[in-house]
Amino acid sequence: MIDKSKNGDLFVLHIIREGLLLTGSPVPFENIKSSFRQRSNYEKEIRAAADLGWLIVRFGAEFDDKLVQRRVSWCIRTVLIANSVQSGHPTFSSEKLSTLYPAYAVTRLIRQKDEPISSETFPLLRDFLIEYGKTDPCPDAVAPNDYLGHFERTENAVALHFLASQDKKENKDEYSSS
């Protein structure tokens, strides 16, 4: 956790800014807090979230709805949180992000996490990604796994896990239909 703190990890910043110590010694928490080094650029995190977002825009209907719901929310929140940190106003809560970025797509997609996928989910996510200037890293993809090499090269752990969940689902479906 100290290494992540020294590297300006967004999740660590969230813990430092809004976390509460419920038990134990405050020393480890203070060590993490004092070692935190905010970066001026969170483009890698923004790009990773946007890249997964593009996969979802194009192929999200092929994945488990609940997982898609969570990942759409993660993509939106990661882009917005990283932008807020870069602008010097770190914001983490859904309500504050919706206030800071009041576009309909933002508010709707952040809340999507707890709602069924709707017909507007993928178009709204596409509009959000375009608005924030992120292009599809694999515009010629014809299947979800066409993104795999890109996610491996960019070490996009969340996107790789998302793709792996589809592979597990397909293997499970294949096994159960035999």
Side-chain angles (χ1 to χ4, degrees):
M1 188 75 103
I2 294 288
D3 287 341
K4 287 184 175 198
S5 186
K6 288 178 181 177
N7 288 322
D9 184 86
L10 287 175
F11 183 70
V12 172
L13 179 58
H14 187 182
I15 291 170
I16 290 169
R17 303 263 314 186
E18 298 187 0
L20 298 172
L21 183 64
L22 299 176
T23 184
S25 167
V27 173
F29 182 73
E30 290 303 318
N31 289 342
I32 292 168
K33 193 173 181 178
S34 66
S35 67
F36 186 81
R37 299 293 172 258
Q38 185 171 316
R39 300 188 324 253
S40 61
N41 184 316
Y42 284 86
E43 187 59 33
K44 181 178 180 185
E45 288 81 358
I46 293 168
R47 186 78 250 180
D51 289 353
L52 176 55
W54 279 111
L55 168 69
I56 292 170
V57 164
R58 298 190 57 212
F59 302 106
E62 297 179 26
F63 291 82
D64 176 72
D65 279 359
K66 294 229 182 267
L67 180 59
V68 170
Q69 288 168 288
R70 289 193 311 270
R71 288 300 161 231
V72 166
S73 180
W74 177 83
C75 291
I76 298 294
R77 289 177 54 87
T78 299
V79 169
L80 297 179
I81 289 167
N83 279 324
S84 74
V85 171
Q86 287 181 160
S87 73
H89 304 286
T91 305
F92 299 95
S93 78
S94 295
E95 295 77 26
K96 288 181 183 176
L97 287 169
S98 293
T99 301
L100 196 57
Y101 304 97
Y104 174 74
V106 170
T107 303
R108 181 72 181 101
L109 291 171
I110 285 175
R111 292 189 180 127
Q112 177 80 37
K113 180 180 173 189
D114 300 317
E115 298 176 11
I117 297 292
S118 74
S119 61
E120 66 181 355
T121 299
F122 303 128
L124 283 174
L125 181 56
R126 186 196 78 240
D127 293 348
F128 173 84
L129 295 169
I130 290 169
E131 181 177 338
Y132 284 87
K134 302 303 168 202
T135 58
D136 186 342
C138 302
D140 298 326
V142 294
N145 277 336
D146 291 345
Y147 282 79
L148 181 60
H150 175 74
F151 293 154
E152 289 172 339
R153 282 188 303 282
T154 59
E155 299 176 353
N156 190 334
V158 175
L160 288 167
H161 186 265
F162 183 82
L163 278 175
S165 72
Q166 178 65 5
D167 290 342
K168 289 176 191 171
K169 181 180 179 274
E170 286 175 356
N171 289 339
K172 181 180 172 187
D173 291 346
E174 192 174 292
Y175 178 75
S176 63
S177 66
S178 300

